[in-house]
Amino acid sequence: MTDFRAVTVFGLHGGAGTTTVASLFGEDALDAGTGWPVAGGWTRPLPTLHVLAVARTHYSGLAAAEAFTHQWAAGQLPASTLLGLVLVDDGPTLTDGQKKTVKRLARKVPRGAHLPWIEAWRHLPPDPERLPRRLTKIIHAFHTPR
């Protein structure tokens, strides 16, 4: 039996942070690994997955996010609905170029979000019950239909 959740989180590259992002949504999210997720199984019609793309803010992550937004805008990713793109900081500070790219990419999708570097998450997993207000607002925005 396939597990359909409110949000299906997938990475645009290895190490994107999908597990961390999915954990922020608690039981409402499924970590689908990498690659555009599409529902499968015997049930017809197949349900439409509501997906959230995740990438890091390093060069490879931003390049993957750039390529992804072009594919999505060209209609090359059918059968699921893109909720948005989450860009996860790859370190405690971003360069001006990274900041500009994050803002530009976030505007190219239905919803864009930028998760800041949180040092504590290097040692302990995030606790969905004790998130900073900014992250709670981001998660709520992805649950709210546009």
Side-chain angles (χ1 to χ4, degrees), residues 7 10 14 20 24 26 31 39 49 62 68 74 82 102 120-123 132 135-136 138:
V7 178
F10 76 102
T20 298
L24 298 177
D31 179 351
L49 300 179
L62 293 174
F68 169 76
L82 178 65
V102 165
W121 291 359
R122 295 180 72 205
H123 310 287
L135 297 186
T136 302
I138 290 170

Side-chain angles (χ1 to χ4, degrees), residues 11-144:
L12 297 175
H13 57 87
T18 57
T19 302
T20 298
V21 172
S23 74
L24 298 177
F25 287 87
E27 294 296 316
D28 289 340
L30 175 67
D31 179 351
T34 57
W36 181 252
V38 176
W42 292 99
T43 304
R44 294 291 185 261
L46 288 173
T48 300
L49 300 179
H50 299 283
V51 299
L52 190 57
V54 180
R56 291 277 182 192
T57 57
H58 52 54
Y59 175 80
S60 297
L62 293 174
E66 184 73 46
F68 169 76
T69 59
H70 286 291
Q71 281 186 300
W72 176 76
Q76 298 173 350
L77 300 168
S80 293
T81 300
L82 178 65
L83 293 175
L85 171 65
V86 176
L87 296 163
V88 181
D89 279 356
D90 67 313
T93 58
L94 299 182
T95 66
D96 288 341
Q98 285 173 302
K99 290 175 187 175
K100 287 178 186 174
T101 303
V102 165
K103 286 181 182 178
R104 184 177 52 75
L105 289 169
R107 289 191 304 262
K108 292 175 75 173
V109 293
R111 274 205 169 84
H114 174 218
L115 267 57
W117 179 263
I118 299 180
E119 183 66 29
W121 291 359
R122 295 180 72 205
H123 310 287
L124 296 170
D127 179 355
E129 302 297 320
R130 302 185 69 197
L131 295 175
R133 182 164 170 74
R134 175 180 178 202
L135 297 186
T136 302
K137 289 173 87 172
I138 290 170
I139 292 163
H140 179 71
F142 283 111
H143 276 123
T144 305

